[in-house]
Amino acid sequence: MKVSYKWIKELTGIKVDVKDFVRDITMSGSKVENLYCPGDEITGVVTGKILLIEKHPNADKLVVCRVDVGQPDPVQICTAATNLYEGAYIPVALAGATLANGLKIKKGIFRGVESNGMLCSLGELTLTKNDFPDVDENGIMIIDECELGLDIRPILGLDDTCVEFEITPNRPDCLTVSGLARETAATYGKRLNLPEPKVRGSGDNIENYVDVSIQDKKGCVRYIAKVIKNIKIEPSPAWLRERLRMCGVRPINNFVDITNYVMLEYHPMHAFDLSCLDGDKIVVRRANGEKITALDGSEHTLDDQILMICDAQKPVAVAGIMGGEHSGVKSDTQTVVFESACFDGPMVRAASRKLGMRTESSMRFEKGLYSEICYTAIMRACELVEELGAGEVVDGIIDIKNDTRKPPEIEFDPGWINKVLGTDISVLQMEQILENLEMKIENGVIIPPGFRKDLEGRHDIAEEIARIYGYDNIPSTTLKGAASAGFTKRQIFRRTVNQTALSAGLNEVATYSFISPKSYDKILMPQDDICRKSVVIRNPLGEDTSVMRTTLLPSMLEVISKNYNNRNLQGGFYEIGTEYFPAGNEEISENNLPEEIARLAIGIYGDDADFYELKGITELILDAVGIKNAVYKSSYSPSFHPHKYAKIFIGGNSGEQIGFLGEIHPFVPENYDIGTKCLFAKLFLDKMFEFYLPERTFVPLPKYPSVTRDITFICDEREEGAKFAGAIERAVGNILESVAFLYSYRGEQIPDGKKSMSYSVTMRSESGTLTDEEADKAIKRAVKSLSAMGAERR
């Protein structure tokens, strides 16, 4: 919201520097985003009068002017302008002056004749034909007679400052100059100067001109109409054009400018040419498939969700948004109908989005406006019509009210307010603050004004008092009582997983939760796989983001592909992400949401990437959260290499699965333009959390040496090493320190369908040094256990 600072000062009577004003009004809750003074970059430009015009002796298109600028001697300036005459008053940029865009004016020689400045046009002063319609925009600016040598900026209205406010959605009342002036007055404890509009009238009766009916009372809570006859379309006076310009609105003509001025000051308005209203009727109703061409020339088809202003036959405006092309005020218009109405905010917002039309008017209506201000606004417009001599106001008014909303009654509890704020503000000062904000206090109850729809309870009242009293005036206090804060067990678990993955050399990534259905084909997922049943997005940005992922694998491969094709030939990534699964066969609703499951995805790639490297990273993470003795069981998945894929269980093969890992099938990376090996692991975080042990037990350093023995045996090719390691652990007993897999071997000495496996067994006793006899007995027990499982020692 852009506002003229002069306008604010006029309505409030404040006399403070604009920078102090910005600080104070921001502290009281109306944040200023920007300041702009159009005259700041213009210096050294003064008023002058042309005394003499002579032909340039050496140039046919130049003339030499002698200009009085209030100095003892006239100034000689050369120019090519053709609209000058002796006695004309003009803006003069003296040598050393600065114009728009930083242009510096220097003395110069034009075809042998000295020139000591420049005569200025509209553009050189940041002005346009709309700002000064009587000035030739292709020539030098001619101004009214005035004292010579004065700074040109106050004369042309360039000494004002445009203050741009950031208005929050809950304060639509501050989208007007009167609303911001009210905030300013309350901030400085001043009285707001907003006189009641006075309209003389010219006789006659509005009922002789137009009839208004409201068919949609919900969409239009108030509609007021006034008629202006014998209108005169002409440029607005300078003061009105200047104010509109400082508020970022382009002046057009007196009637359009009046409606824009009142919109800025109070409330959006519209003007209709009465001769364009069939049947002299105005009907507010829903559309029914009709078409309308708006003022900006765009054509729209309207459905029954859009509120329209119509005459007896056709739509003439989209309610709260924009008028029609053929019903607006034109140069030959004789009679005008002024409209001041209050439309339903959500309905205006929906229509604005549907039609792709967002205007200054719709921006205000969609936030919810105050219906009572409609009367003040239309009477102010009529007052301006009479003040500018733009027409005759017909007596009478059409005012249809459908607003039944009553303002809330809020308890006034000064003691509670002081307790909440930590202040000691007197009751009298609180009452004064509330009265400055136009709130009524009756019998201990506060009645907010109708334009403050954001005030609902006593906490809102406390905030109003605090911001006007001054946040910087509220003393700092120490918190009373005891407070404790910390991470939950689940948060600590997540942080541990995250930090361990980082320490393993992986880079964290974050990917979108929605993917393309084609991703399932790219990872070779079978057509009957349950994971193909995805949650479908109703309004996707495109096919590539049309479903919620049921697996993190495509997302990780996209990351690897992007990095690989940017010449990062190896790397590792992880993501703590979510997979989404439909909740049964029912349609998704508020009470039937998809199942969201947290996963940890790990992806590594490169020519040197190895299955056991990925397995080591996985074991590191499991160990960090207290999960030991996980079992890795080879399995099959179409997306993975047939012989390099394993599921991870806790509690043995018959336990619960907590993840899987493996090398991606060679065909899959090709689908993602990846020309190297890729490996992927996924851990089920929710399941891991069930076995999470945040407490770590540390044991003292050993006092006695360890004894190591190797065991090599032959077993069936299909057997998994993990079960043999478990058998060794159980057989050795409490002197076991660790069992480590060394290698497996297949060769000439090993029968077909068999393999040789070697383990290193480390033993240690806490009570004394182990003897060879004790160690050998333990190994014999282990060998016996292995034999019982069908293994033969080599």
Side-chain angles (χ1 to χ4, degrees):
M1 175 70 184
K2 295 180 179 179
V3 180
S4 158
Y5 185 46
K6 277 187 178 180
W7 199 349
I8 292 288
K9 289 197 293 184
E10 178 185 301
L11 294 177
T12 59
I14 62 171
K15 298 178 180 180
V16 297
D17 181 75
V18 66
K19 292 184 179 179
D20 293 331
F21 166 74
V22 167
R23 181 198 63 229
D24 296 338
I25 198 70
T26 298
M27 287 298 295
S28 69
S30 302
K31 181 184 176 183
V32 175
E33 282 192 315
N34 191 23
L35 285 180
Y36 170 65
C37 183
D40 274 354
E41 53 187 6
I42 299 174
T43 61
V45 182
V46 299
T47 55
K49 179 182 179 182
I50 298 178
L51 302 178
L52 179 66
I53 301 177
E54 298 178 326
K55 185 178 179 181
H56 194 289
N58 303 317
D60 293 338
K61 294 185 178 181
L62 294 178
V63 295
V64 181
C65 301
R66 292 195 176 272
V67 184
D68 184 356
V69 292
Q71 297 178 1
D73 298 319
V75 176
Q76 179 174 286
I77 298 175
C78 297
T79 180
T82 59
N83 66 323
L84 297 176
Y85 56 89
E86 294 178 356
Y89 286 80
I90 36 74
V92 182
L94 302 174
T98 303
L99 298 182
N101 301 320
L103 177 63
K104 294 280 187 181
I105 304 301
K106 299 179 181 179
K107 294 182 179 181
I109 304 295
F110 289 84
R111 295 287 185 92
V113 177
E114 183 178 305
S115 181
N116 298 312
M118 187 176 78
L119 307 183
C120 298
S121 65
L122 282 171
E124 288 153 348
L125 298 173
T126 70
L127 300 170
T128 67
K129 181 76 171 176
N130 294 102
D131 301 317
F132 287 88
D134 297 330
V135 174
D136 181 2
E137 60 182 340
N138 296 315
I140 300 301
M141 184 178 188
I142 308 297
I143 61 176
D144 295 334
E145 181 178 346
C146 58
E147 185 180 342
L148 300 179
L150 298 179
D151 187 344
I152 197 67
R153 290 176 295 182
I155 293 172
L156 300 183
L158 297 175
D159 59 334
D160 197 357
T161 301
C162 171
V163 185
E164 186 173 0
F165 288 87
E166 178 187 334
I167 308 299
T168 53
N170 67 320
R171 293 299 305 274
D173 59 298
C174 288
L175 287 170
T176 62
V177 177
S178 59
L180 289 169
R182 184 181 296 107
E183 290 294 305
T184 302
T187 299
Y188 289 102
K190 298 283 188 178
R191 182 174 294 276
L192 183 61
N193 180 27
L194 275 177
E196 195 72 24
K198 296 180 180 179
V199 180
R200 296 187 303 274
S202 62
D204 211 337
N205 192 316
I206 191 173
E207 294 180 359
N208 299 328
Y209 291 84
V210 67
D211 177 64
V212 178
S213 63
I214 310 297
Q215 294 184 6
D216 191 325
K217 296 182 179 180
K218 178 182 180 299
C220 181
V221 296
R222 191 168 188 181
Y223 196 98
I224 303 179
K226 287 282 286 181
V227 171
I228 315 296
K229 65 180 181 179
N230 299 326
I231 72 168
K232 302 173 185 176
I233 304 297
E234 55 190 12
S236 299
W239 68 267
L240 180 53
R241 298 196 306 268
E242 177 186 330
R243 287 212 170 151
L244 292 177
R245 183 175 74 247
M246 291 306 299
C247 294
V249 177
R250 179 168 59 93
I252 297 177
N253 60 49
N254 52 358
F255 265 86
V256 175
D257 292 350
I258 285 172
T259 58
N260 284 335
Y261 186 88
V262 174
M263 176 188 71
L264 293 171
E265 192 174 32
Y266 289 109
H267 185 81
M269 286 190 57
H270 191 67
F272 295 104
D273 184 338
L274 182 62
S275 66
C276 297
L277 299 179
D278 291 342
D280 295 333
K281 287 182 176 294
I282 291 177
V283 181
V284 183
R285 61 173 174 81
R286 299 286 185 98
N288 54 15
E290 300 141 304
K291 292 185 177 180
I292 187 172
T293 301
L295 282 173
D296 61 2
S298 59
E299 186 175 297
H300 303 276
T301 301
L302 313 171
D303 60 29
D304 60 1
Q305 298 302 307
I306 297 176
L307 190 68
M308 302 299 302
I309 311 298
C310 307
D311 59 20
Q313 303 293 331
K314 64 185 181 303
V316 294
V318 184
I321 300 177
M322 188 179 289
E325 183 179 44
H326 304 296
S327 62
V329 178
K330 298 174 284 292
S331 58
D332 59 349
T333 299
Q334 296 296 313
T335 307
V336 163
V337 178
F338 271 155
E339 167 196 281
S340 180
C342 189
F343 303 109
D344 180 64
M347 188 176 291
V348 172
R349 173 62 174 162
S352 174
R353 291 191 64 183
K354 183 174 292 187
L355 300 176
M357 302 167 63
R358 195 155 195 261
T359 62
E360 288 288 329
S361 178
S362 69
M363 180 186 71
R364 288 164 167 81
F365 277 117
E366 66 189 30
K367 292 176 174 61
L369 296 182
Y370 173 49
S371 64
E372 291 301 315
I373 202 66
C374 295
Y375 179 81
T376 304
I378 203 167
M379 298 306 289
R380 174 62 167 151
C382 294
E383 182 183 47
L384 287 171
V385 167
E386 293 183 341
E387 182 180 332
L388 303 184
E392 300 174 12
V393 180
V394 173
D395 287 350
I397 188 171
I398 296 175
D399 187 356
I400 302 174
K401 299 180 182 181
N402 298 314
D403 192 357
T404 58
R405 177 183 177 273
K406 294 183 179 180
E409 296 183 353
I410 304 171
E411 178 189 3
F412 180 40
D413 188 345
W416 181 86
I417 293 172
N418 274 325
K419 181 180 178 181
V420 168
L421 300 180
T423 56
D424 189 22
I425 305 173
S426 68
V427 175
L428 184 62
Q429 189 173 2
M430 287 187 189
E431 291 176 344
Q432 186 62 55
I433 290 172
L434 297 177
E435 288 175 6
N436 289 343
L437 292 170
E438 299 189 19
M439 300 186 205
K440 296 180 181 179
I441 305 174
E442 299 176 355
N443 302 320
V445 173
I446 299 170
I447 303 175
F451 55 79
R452 290 301 303 274
K453 296 182 179 181
D454 58 311
L455 301 181
E456 299 175 346
R458 59 179 185 175
H459 52 282
D460 296 316
I461 301 300
E463 181 184 3
E464 293 298 295
I465 291 173
R467 68 184 183 87
I468 301 300
Y469 177 72
Y471 292 117
D472 51 342
N473 293 325
I474 297 176
S476 300
T477 56
T478 304
L479 287 173
K480 297 179 180 179
S484 60
F487 293 110
T488 65
K489 183 179 178 181
R490 186 175 290 274
Q491 287 173 327
I492 296 172
F493 168 76
R494 284 286 189 99
R495 286 167 63 86
T496 302
V497 171
N498 190 75
Q499 291 168 358
T500 307
L502 288 171
S503 69
L506 302 176
N507 298 290
E508 185 176 12
V509 296
T511 59
Y512 290 116
S513 297
F514 28 80
I515 61 174
S516 168
K518 296 179 181 177
S519 298
Y520 300 136
D521 296 327
K522 293 173 73 174
I523 63 172
L524 309 182
M525 182 181 288
Q527 293 296 323
D528 59 350
D529 196 307
I530 192 173
C531 289
R532 280 185 175 270
K533 186 178 180 182
S534 305
V535 176
V536 179
I537 299 174
R538 290 179 180 172
N539 55 342
L541 299 175
E543 184 184 3
D544 288 345
T545 55
S546 60
V547 299
M548 304 299 289
R549 64 189 177 195
T550 58
T551 172
L552 287 165
L553 178 56
S555 302
M556 183 59 70
L557 288 172
E558 291 285 357
V559 173
I560 293 175
S561 175
K562 186 173 183 179
N563 280 270
Y564 179 80
N565 287 288
N566 278 282
R567 300 185 180 180
N568 297 318
L569 301 182
Q570 62 182 13
F573 308 98
Y574 78 95
E575 178 181 11
I576 297 178
T578 306
E579 295 176 344
Y580 301 82
F581 296 89
N585 296 320
E586 299 179 23
E587 184 179 352
I588 294 173
S589 64
E590 184 178 350
N591 298 319
N592 191 45
L593 298 176
E595 185 180 6
E596 302 180 22
I597 304 176
R599 309 291 200 199
L600 169 66
I602 302 171
I604 62 174
Y605 71 99
D607 291 343
D608 297 329
D610 181 73
F611 178 88
Y612 292 105
E613 177 188 358
L614 181 61
K615 183 171 180 285
I617 294 172
T618 304
E619 289 177 335
L620 187 67
I621 293 171
L622 294 177
D623 181 68
V625 297
I627 298 177
K628 299 182 182 296
N629 302 323
V631 175
Y632 296 79
K633 184 177 181 180
S634 61
S635 186
Y636 171 75
S637 172
S639 302
F640 289 85
H641 191 290
H643 305 297
K644 298 180 181 180
Y645 173 74
K647 294 181 179 179
I648 309 172
F649 295 88
I650 187 168
N653 292 344
S654 60
E656 296 190 66
Q657 185 181 357
I658 58 172
F660 60 81
L661 76 164
E663 181 179 326
I664 302 297
H665 194 288
F667 291 164
V668 174
E670 292 179 4
N671 294 334
Y672 287 89
D673 296 325
I674 303 171
T676 188
K677 284 195 300 183
C678 297
L679 294 101
F680 179 79
K682 182 164 73 177
L683 297 177
F684 308 161
L685 291 180
D686 292 338
K687 185 60 64 177
M688 288 168 58
F689 182 69
E690 296 178 13
F691 299 94
Y692 172 47
L693 296 175
E695 300 295 333
R696 310 304 297 270
T697 302
F698 293 90
V699 296
L701 292 172
K703 296 180 181 180
Y704 306 103
S706 62
V707 176
T708 301
R709 296 283 190 272
D710 293 345
I711 300 179
T712 302
F713 55 90
I714 298 174
C715 64
D716 191 84
E717 173 69 38
R718 294 172 298 177
E719 296 287 359
E720 296 180 353
K723 75 173 187 176
F724 293 116
I728 294 172
E729 290 178 5
R730 292 188 294 273
V732 173
N734 57 10
I735 63 172
L736 178 73
E737 187 168 275
S738 65
V739 177
F741 173 73
L742 295 178
Y743 58 86
S744 64
Y745 172 74
R746 299 165 184 82
E748 295 180 359
Q749 298 87 354
I750 306 300
D752 292 341
K754 301 287 185 177
K755 63 181 176 181
S756 172
M757 303 187 70
S758 293
Y759 286 85
S760 176
V761 182
T762 302
M763 298 166 283
R764 191 192 306 269
S765 173
E766 296 180 2
S767 58
T769 301
L770 277 178
T771 64
D772 289 339
E773 184 182 354
E774 290 174 321
D776 292 340
K777 284 183 179 180
I779 294 300
K780 287 180 180 179
R781 292 197 301 269
V783 171
K784 183 178 180 181
S785 179
L786 294 173
S787 298
M789 298 172 65
E792 179 184 348
R793 188 175 187 182
R794 286 187 67 190

